[in-house]
Amino acid sequence: KKEIFVHNSDSLNYRILKPLNYNPNKLYPVHLFLHGSGERGNNNTAQLTHGGELFLKKENRELYNSWVIFPQAPKHDWWGYEDPYKFAYDVKESKAMNLVVKFMDNFLLRKDVDINRVYVSGLSMGGMGTFAILNLRPYMFAAATPICGDGDPSSVSSYAKKVPVWIFHGSDDKTVHPNESLKMAKAIIKFGGSPKITFYENVEHGSWNNAFAEKDFLKWIHSKTKKK
C-alpha cells in the first residue's frame, strides 16, 4: 500500500505491508527497512527493489507476521543525519532520516503495535541509515541488521549494550569497504555490546542477496525482544 507521511511542509513516501489476517486487537512487531542510494526517488516503488520479495513470501508472512515499512528517500537526499561526511552523495541538507524518525515515533503510538519488538534493517546507504537511526533512537529497537553499511564509531555508545546487531558485508565490496563494518563491530564491542557479524567470501557490494538468503535472517531478528 502506497502512503505519504507529512510533517510540517515535508513529506516522506513509504510503502506499508499490513500483518497477515490483521486483527486490530492484537499487537504486531514492526520492521523498518531502509533502501540503498540507487532506490531513491519519488515513485514510491523503487525502495521495494531489494527486500520486498523477502517480506512478501507466504511462509515469512506466516512465521514472522508484522507491520513492514519501506520509506523512500528523495533523489537528492539520503539516510544520513546532519552529517555531511563522505557518503553524503552530494546532499547539502538531509531531511529524509528526520522524517523517518518522526514517522516511527508516530507509528509506534498505535494500539496494534508491539513496542518491544521493533526492528530495523538496511542495505548500503540504508545500512548507514540503520546505524544512524540506532543512535537517534537507541531505545526504539529490539534488533538491527545493517548490510554493507558504514557509520560513525563514536555514535554507538548509546545503543551498543541495548540493541542486538547482526552486521553483513561482502569481503570483496569495492563500494563500501568491508573494513567499515569491522570498524562498527569493534566500536560496539568497545562499548560493551555483543555484535554478530557475517562476511561473504568472493562477494562484492550486493551482499544483501546473501543476507536475505540466510535461513535465520528473519528468525534471528524476530527472536529478539527489547531489553528492559
Side-chain angles (χ1 to χ4, degrees), residues 7-51:
H7 177 72
N8 296 333
S9 60
D10 298 317
S11 60
L12 176 76
N13 283 332
Y14 69 95
R15 297 289 284 265
I16 187 161
L17 183 66
K18 203 172 188 175
L20 194 64
N21 304 319
Y22 172 74
N23 176 345
N25 299 312
K26 282 183 76 172
L27 297 179
Y28 295 96
V30 178
H31 201 145
L32 171 67
F33 192 95
L34 301 174
H35 64 75
S37 63
E39 295 79 66
R40 291 176 297 172
N42 59 4
N43 60 7
N44 211 355
T45 302
Q47 73 268 39
L48 302 177
T49 305
H50 306 297

Side-chain angles (χ1 to χ4, degrees), residues 145-149 166-170 181 197-198 200 207 211 214 217:
T145 47
I147 304 165
C148 58
W166 187 0
I167 299 167
F168 303 85
H169 220 118
S181 280
I197 190 163
T198 300
Y200 299 107
S207 53
E214 292 273 354
F217 182 76

Side-chain angles (χ1 to χ4, degrees), residues 108-168:
L108 299 186
L109 297 173
R110 293 176 60 115
K111 297 281 190 283
D112 53 5
V113 158
D114 183 348
I115 58 165
N116 292 311
R117 298 185 67 209
V118 180
Y119 310 118
V120 58
S121 300
L123 58 94
S124 193
M125 181 182 90
M128 298 165 199
T130 300
F131 287 122
I133 200 169
L134 285 176
N135 179 44
L136 293 167
R137 289 291 182 272
Y139 293 95
M140 183 177 280
F141 299 100
T145 47
I147 304 165
C148 58
D150 188 4
D152 176 2
S154 68
S155 72
V156 307
S157 59
S158 59
Y159 63 84
K161 289 181 182 174
K162 295 184 188 74
V163 186
V165 176
W166 187 0
I167 299 167
F168 303 85

Side-chain angles (χ1 to χ4, degrees), residues 42-95:
N42 59 4
N43 60 7
N44 211 355
T45 302
Q47 73 268 39
L48 302 177
T49 305
H50 306 297
E53 282 180 19
L54 175 77
F55 291 100
L56 284 173
K57 276 187 185 162
K58 187 167 180 281
E59 61 267 38
N60 288 340
R61 294 198 71 189
E62 289 169 351
L63 282 170
Y64 312 111
N65 202 13
S66 59
W67 290 101
V68 184
I69 297 158
F70 272 75
Q72 185 181 34
K75 200 70 191 165
H76 299 293
D77 208 332
W78 76 305
W79 305 128
Y81 192 76
E82 294 177 352
D83 180 6
Y85 87 126
K86 61 182 176 178
F87 279 111
Y89 305 102
D90 300 320
V91 175
K92 298 292 177 279
E93 181 188 17
S94 180
K95 292 180 177 175

Side-chain angles (χ1 to χ4, degrees), residues 185-198:
K186 278 182 179 174
I188 291 168
I189 291 166
K190 177 184 168 186
F191 286 102
S194 183
K196 181 176 166 80
I197 190 163
T198 300

